[in-house]
Amino acid sequence: MDFHNKTVLAPMAGVSEPVYRQLCREWGADIVLTEMVSAEGLHYNSERTFELAKVYPGERPVGVQLFGSDPQKLGEAVAIIESFSAPDYIDLNCGCPVKKVVGKNGGSSLLREPKLFAEICTAMVKSSKQTPVTVKIRSGWFTHEWVDTEFAKIAEDCGIAAIAVHPRSRAMGYTGNAFWERIKAVKETVNIPVIGNGDILTIEDAKRMYDETGCDSIMLARATNGNPWIFRQIQQHLAGETPMIVTLGDKASTARRHYELFLNHYGPAKANKDMKKHFMWYLKGFPDGAELKQQFLSAESESDFSRALDAMIEVCD
Ligand SMILES: Cc1cc2nc3c(=O)[nH]c(=O)nc-3n(C[C@H](O)[C@H](O)[C@H](O)COP(=O)(O)O)c2cc1C
């Protein structure tokens, strides 16, 4: 697995499901990741957990992200995932700030436990037959009490193949600005590839992330919402080409295709519920956006959504 000069779709719980990953791959994401998958859930054979860990041929290269806090269960989870979905790599979540995950000592909670982190990395690498194991970290539990370089070094020593860094503390949640200089510090500490993440909102940010941090690859989460073209635009910008222009018509037709793919994959009940947030994202910058948003929010059936999509396309004519 090559982690150099790649534009990566970040894991996003409730967002980075197979249809989203496919769309992002089509619009230029070099690598995609599943949302986080519970090692406990795999251990207890939870059907829903296995569903999250499924990967599909069209989306490779794809990583499956695991979370947990028990080295033995995470080691087992690597073996289970290798035989269940054989992804191109397996990633450890060491950044999630939410209480449900942190309360069980997973996600960013591991940033307070270097010894446990080392045990988990070792167990995962040992258990893997051939799949590279990577980690994704925040920079620390508390702001300015950074542990990212220490954790990157531990990860490298344990045989981890690459490290993604979101340079916020757990305490920051998603507020404030990401401390990109921490990505630079990690890059200067380890020899494994470093993937820079956090606050890449525009194509210019993507270039700046490379220039300012020296990172090997970049990873985007929120800027891709309703905006999968950003991957292609970033690649064009980095190559010195003029980035493609995305019209409102392109947005409307991609929104329709997204809905159709979602319907096909999950059926109407889930599509009509889960697609609403995507439509809100696609509608950013639309004239009469508020009215259209209301139409999507009150839609209940396939025909309601179809009418709302027709209205969205009409606005573009
Ligand atoms: C809705 C949402 C869900 C997320 N879920 C995960 C997750 O499952 N695993 C993970 O490592 N990070 C998760 N993240 C964090 C992102 O991967 C990323 O690190 C963070 O959003 C910063 O990148 P950005 O500024 O490009 O959004 C999530 C972020 C958001 C907004």
Side-chain angles (χ1 to χ4, degrees):
M1 198 52 217
D2 181 8
F3 290 102
H4 292 92
N5 301 314
K6 300 289 190 271
T7 316
V8 184
L9 170 67
M12 274 181 282
V15 179
S16 307
E17 46 67 54
V19 172
Y20 195 79
R21 301 198 300 262
Q22 180 192 332
L23 272 179
C24 288
R25 286 281 293 127
E26 284 175 13
W27 287 108
D30 296 307
I31 299 173
V32 294
L33 264 156
T34 66
E35 59 188 278
M36 58 181 171
V37 172
S38 163
E40 290 257 331
L42 294 173
H43 183 78
Y44 291 112
N45 244 324
S46 148
E47 203 179 313
R48 188 177 136 63
T49 306
F50 275 91
E51 195 57 43
L52 294 178
K54 263 191 196 157
V55 305
Y56 296 82
E59 59 174 317
R60 289 179 184 278
V62 58
V64 171
Q65 188 188 60
L66 295 173
F67 76 95
S69 58
D70 179 337
Q72 196 188 329
K73 286 199 185 117
L74 277 155
E76 271 173 31
V78 166
I80 293 170
I81 290 296
E82 258 192 326
S83 60
F84 175 70
S85 51
D88 300 276
Y89 70 108
I90 295 175
D91 185 60
L92 171 69
N93 181 320
C94 196
C96 179
V98 307
K99 277 208 185 103
K100 218 172 89 185
V101 173
V102 166
K104 288 189 173 169
N105 219 14
S108 57
S109 194
L110 293 175
L111 296 169
R112 300 181 293 185
E113 310 254 13
K115 194 165 155 285
L116 178 62
F117 175 72
E119 283 167 17
I120 290 173
C121 292
T122 304
M124 290 177 75
V125 170
K126 241 190 188 161
S127 170
S128 164
K129 285 204 193 81
Q130 62 203 20
T131 314
V133 179
T134 61
V135 297
K136 176 168 178 281
I137 63 168
R138 281 193 180 229
S139 280
W141 181 258
F142 292 119
T143 311
H144 296 301
E145 294 182 19
W146 305 130
V147 297
D148 42 18
T149 49
E150 176 195 351
F151 273 65
K153 191 79 193 81
I154 295 172
E156 179 172 49
D157 291 345
C158 294
I160 293 296
I163 181 163
V165 182
H166 175 202
R168 280 191 170 82
S169 63
R170 191 264 173 174
M172 289 169 77
Y174 289 93
T175 63
N177 294 323
F179 290 86
W180 284 10
E181 63 272 24
R182 299 308 311 164
I183 298 172
K184 184 166 189 256
V186 171
K187 177 66 193 161
E188 283 164 1
T189 303
V190 289
N191 292 312
I192 53 175
V194 174
I195 302 163
N197 169 238
D199 298 353
I200 301 177
L201 303 178
T202 63
I203 55 176
E204 291 81 13
D205 290 339
K207 175 148 184 3
R208 217 163 42 76
M209 169 69 91
Y210 275 116
D211 291 346
E212 290 181 15
T213 71
C215 64
D216 298 285
S217 284
I218 55 173
M219 176 185 273
L220 289 85
R222 292 165 294 176
T224 69
N225 296 156
N227 188 26
W229 312 274
I230 194 168
F231 290 105
R232 177 77 21 87
Q233 291 171 320
I234 284 174
Q235 284 154 355
Q236 288 164 334
H237 183 60
L238 291 173
E241 298 162 13
T242 307
M244 63 182 280
I245 290 171
V246 180
T247 62
L248 293 182
D250 294 332
K251 288 190 181 190
S253 58
T254 299
R256 184 181 285 283
R257 175 139 186 278
H258 194 159
Y259 180 64
E260 282 163 2
L261 289 170
F262 219 91
L263 264 180
N264 251 340
H265 197 89
Y266 297 105
K270 191 171 162 64
N272 295 349
K273 183 165 155 277
D274 289 9
M275 277 300 296
K276 286 190 179 178
K277 62 175 180 280
H278 292 286
F279 290 129
M280 297 306 107
W281 288 326
Y282 282 117
L283 280 169
K284 267 192 201 148
F286 258 69
D288 299 325
E291 218 171 286
L292 282 167
K293 275 183 186 168
Q294 206 40 55
Q295 197 173 344
F296 278 106
L297 288 176
S298 58
E300 286 175 4
S301 62
E302 271 179 74
S303 55
D304 292 342
F305 280 101
S306 192
R307 268 194 301 277
L309 282 161
D310 286 344
M312 192 174 171
I313 285 166
E314 261 168 41
V315 168
C316 311
D317 289 341

